[in-house]
Every structure is written in C-alpha cells, then in structure tokens.
Amino acid sequence: MVTTDEKGPLTAKKKSVIIRSCDGDEFLVSESAAVLSTSLKKILEEKEDRLIHLSDIDNKTLAMVIAYLSTHADDGLSDDLKRSFDQEFVSGKEFDVLKYLVLATDTLQVTCLCYTVAKKMADIMKNKLVEWVRREFDIQNDYTPEAEAEIRRLDAWAWDDRQLEDD
Amino acid sequence: MVAAQPRAQDLVYIAIMELPNDLIKEILVRLPLKDILSYKCVCREWYMLISNPNFTTYYAQHSPFTTIFLDQYHFCTKSLSLLEFSPNGDFTQIRIKPKIPEFQDINSNGVTIIGSCDGWLFLLYHAYRPCYLDDRVIDKIYFCNPLFERCVEIAQDRSPWGDLDYKVGYIPSTNNYKLLRILYNRNRVEEAKIFTIGVDKDWRIVEDPFTFWEPGSDYEGVCFNGAYHWVTDNENLDNICTFDLLEEKCSAIPNPPGLLPFSSENVKLTILSDRLSVVDYSDCSQMNIWTMEKYGVAESWFRNISILESWIPHQKHLINFLPIAVLRNGNLIFSQMYPGNSYYFSLGKKQCTPFMFLNVDGLVGETMYENAFGPRFYSLEGIESGGQ
C-alpha cells in the first residue's frame, strides 16, 4: 500500500500516462489529471502499465474528458475559474454529444463532470414533447395508446397549460 | 468497460448506444416536477424508473429545486399550489386540485389543511350533518399526494365540542404515519387521541397527560425524526418538549446553549436542510438561527445564520418571519405572518424580498399555510396498508 506521505513526491514528479481511445488515437495525460477519474486511478494503482486503452470512448469524447480533467487538475486555477470553465465546457454542445460525454463520465467515473453534463442535458430537456425525448434517446414507445392516455389522465395537471417544444 | 489491453473488436466504433438507467436517473432528477411526471409517458421503463421509491429518495438529494406547499385564501376562495424554486429564487407556481370524493371543489370552505409531511398532504373536512340526525360534526381526514389528484379517506371521528388541534407525523423507523388529535378545554389539554394510518381501526386515547403542551399559533411546533417538538412556556422547563410518536410518550431534548428565557414568545422551531432548528427572537435587532447538527446531541447545536432587522423590509418585524426552507445555494425562504406572505432571502445581498403569488382568481391572496415539501413520485399505495 502506498501511504499518503509517499504519494506526495510521486505526483510532484508529474508522471504521465497514455490513454488510447477506441478509434486508436493516443492522448498524453498527466497522472494528476488521470487520477481524477476513479476508474483510471484504480488501473494505475493496480498496474505499472502507462498505456490505458478505453474500448468504448471515441476520440472526440475522450479529448473533451481529458480537457476537463487537465483543467481540474491544475492547482493554479481557482475554484471560481474551474466553475466557469465547467459552464463554458457544456454550453452550446449538442444533445447527442452530451449523451456520449455522460456515458464516458460513467465509464471513467468522473462524478462531478457527470453531474455537470446531466444538469446541462436536463436544461435542454425542459418543457419538451414526449416525442422529442423518445427521438433524442432513441426509445421506442412501448405503450398501447390506451395505456398512454391513462397515464396522462392520472397526472392531468402535469399536462396543463404547457407550451411544449419540439426542437 | 475500461480495458488495459487493446483488443481487435474494440477498434470498431459503436454508433448506437443506450444510456443506462443510472444515467437517465441523473438527468431526470434535475428536471422540474412537470417534466418528470410527463416523461413517465416516454416508455414503460421510464415509468418504472420514476415510480420507484428510490427515485424519490434520489430526487430529494440531487434535485436543484426546492418545493414549498402553499395554501392561499382570498374572499372565501382557497387555492392550493406547489412552488418550485430554482436556487436563484425564480419559481414556478403549480396549482393542485386534490379531489375529495364527497366534495367537488376543494377550494370552497369546509376543507382545511392539517399539514404536509414527507410528500403527503393531510386534509380535514368538517361534514356538518343535519341537526335532527346528530348535533355533532363528523371530521373526516384525507390524505393525498399533491402530484396526483386522488384523495383517500384515512380516518373519521365525531368531534366533541371544544378546540381541536390535529398534528401529523412520520416515524422513519417503522415507516408509519400517525395522527394526533388534541382537545383543549380552557387552554388545557383535556384529551389526546392517536391514530396510526393504515393500522388502527379507531382512535386510541393517549395515556400521556401532555402536561407541557400549550395550544398556540400555527408555528407552535414541528414533526421531525419520529417525534413532535414544541416549546413550552412552563418556567420549570428549559428544554424542547417532544412527543415520541412511536412510544407515544412525552419527553424532551436539549435546547441550544445560553438561550434564556427559552419560551414560545421568543423561540420558534423549524426544519432546515433536514435538521431541527431553533429561531431565537429574544434580541429584537437580530434573529439567530440555531441548528442541531446531530439530532438529540446537545453539543451539536451551532449558531447557523443571523439575520439583522435592517435586512428585512421597513416596518416589518423579525418576530413574524420564520425560515421554512433552504435553497440549494444556501439562500432562504421565509414565511411571514400578519399578513401571510413569503420572502426570498439572499445571503449574499443580505436582502429579503417578498414574493407575489396569485391565487385562482389571479389576485394576490394571503398565505394561510406554507411548508417545505418533498415531492414523491409514487402514488398512495403503501401508506394505506400501514407503510408495508
């Protein structure tokens, strides 16, 4: 076991790891950034291997996660700056991109990014038609029309005076 | 999956992907109430996910919104709503219309609010019977989940002449709800009865004499951690009085250190961020809010927030303000009495601003009752059968 005292000088050396996406591209990441992901931290603790292959995260998504991890590992940045980085990070991203991103945060276990992306996705989903949600999440409607009507009837107020959006 | 070694099939880009339910849950709990409820229609799996009690628990921990239950009154018109607050103080007002079987319109008189507790709303209906049948009044108690319309009758009783007070409380250890009915005669407790919802067939007399119970204002006490809490004016007692709903006995827990005199004139109880809190008004220039970090532990009381009189609007008195909820960013919602209204308090700006809630007629109505409210996304089953 590595104790906390021994860990200090280890991270100070700024060791790096190589992370390979499922597309085959490799990214050089500082160890201090990589360990912000609980999954990567576990791998690094178990193996000497400095090359980690992620079998289900593509280039584009991995690049985004690494940018996030590197910013959050930067001790020179204040918490306020990191918070505004988080806002900027998710703003303007398409719903589909966020879906891949949230899935990657789950695989890599980066809880704070997961919450940030989930919040952004919820903001986009606000006041949308059920049909919009099915389309974006690629979900088949498995209700019979009668069953769906019954659910709508029971939660009638949720459907009152709503100006729903479909884009 | 995270794999340390590359495999040939990993290099194939997988375009179709489905989010696991845990991630769907992360997203859904961050939506407003109306969206969560309507997205039960997306598919059966989402319906199951949202209706699962675990979702309600997770929502309580992670939702950015804070919900308040509000009962307004204006020229004989009652209007009930839920107010869903964003951390910045913006809110959505959702009108609710619980449907009592005998009673078409909840908004007319005859129906009063007993209280809200743990996502349920408890209503009292005085059913006046013609005097040739019986000269007494039948009290019927209903409960409902305000997110749904259906009301269920849980208890009824012939009310005797005298002042009656109903309280409702939840016992986490047994997952039971109990109703407490106290009858006063000349400001003294004449009789106390109790009813376990879904278990008892009839009201039972409480043996404990309720010596230190004082009939008082709407603000007199709170139910928390399976006990009802109140502050007594009895000079021999400087603790917070409790009635343990499980044991059905009165007891006491320590009050914050150094608060003297500890009486209902200058102390009120409230629940903030799921902790028992005491609001001390003994200093007229400021209100001190104490919070008990660990329930029942005297040493865990700490002075949480102080609100200066200069932070509230002119000609308003601190004594009429009671904090009822904490928003996600630490700002507070205050309930004001005389006249009933609600205020948003910004800690950063040190400023208290009133809300304008419209009642069903589109007018600003006086607030009769308001309480922090934890929405639950499943219906009445469970509580009817005694929480099993």
Side-chain angles (χ1 to χ4, degrees), chain B residues 132-163:
Chain B
Y132 57 86
L133 285 174
D134 191 348
D135 60 352
R136 285 188 298 183
V137 172
I138 301 277
D139 275 351
K140 289 186 178 184
I141 294 170
Y142 294 86
F143 81 114
C144 74
N145 177 343
L147 301 194
F148 308 96
E149 287 178 342
R150 192 165 76 101
C151 282
V152 170
E153 185 184 321
I154 41 177
Q156 56 169 281
D157 202 6
R158 275 159 199 265
S159 48
W161 296 113
D163 292 329

Side-chain angles (χ1 to χ4, degrees), chain A residues 136-155:
Chain A
E136 289 295 323
F137 281 88
D138 206 10
I139 290 171
Q140 287 293 316
N141 178 14
D142 55 359
Y143 284 115
T144 61
E146 295 78 30
E148 190 175 334
E150 176 65 9
I151 294 171
R152 290 195 187 219
R153 192 185 64 78
L154 285 175
D155 304 339

Side-chain angles (χ1 to χ4, degrees), chain A residues 43 53 100 125 134 157 162, chain B residues 2-3 15 35 38-39 41 147:
Chain A
I43 294 176
H53 183 75
Y100 283 101
M125 274 171 77
R134 286 186 192 130
W157 67 262
R162 297 191 72 185
Chain B
V2 178
D35 288 314
S38 44
Y39 294 161
C41 275
L147 301 194

Side-chain angles (χ1 to χ4, degrees), chain B residues 210-231:
Chain B
F210 276 93
T211 318
F212 298 113
W213 182 281
E214 324 271 337
S217 70
D218 295 338
Y219 283 154
E220 72 203 28
V222 293
C223 187
F224 183 68
N225 208 34
Y228 198 79
H229 300 72
W230 75 98
V231 176

Side-chain angles (χ1 to χ4, degrees), chain B residues 41-87:
Chain B
C41 275
V42 167
C43 63
R44 286 176 195 275
E45 199 161 347
W46 281 34
Y47 182 93
M48 301 295 280
L49 181 74
I50 294 166
S51 311
N52 188 319
N54 292 337
F55 182 85
T56 293
T57 313
Y58 201 72
Y59 174 90
Q61 295 158 354
H62 293 265
S63 169
F65 300 101
T66 305
T67 309
I68 305 280
F69 171 76
L70 178 73
D71 173 10
Q72 277 175 301
Y73 190 77
H74 186 83
F75 288 122
C76 299
T77 312
K78 187 183 201 55
S79 61
L80 308 179
S81 36
L82 296 177
L83 305 167
E84 193 178 30
F85 287 93
S86 302

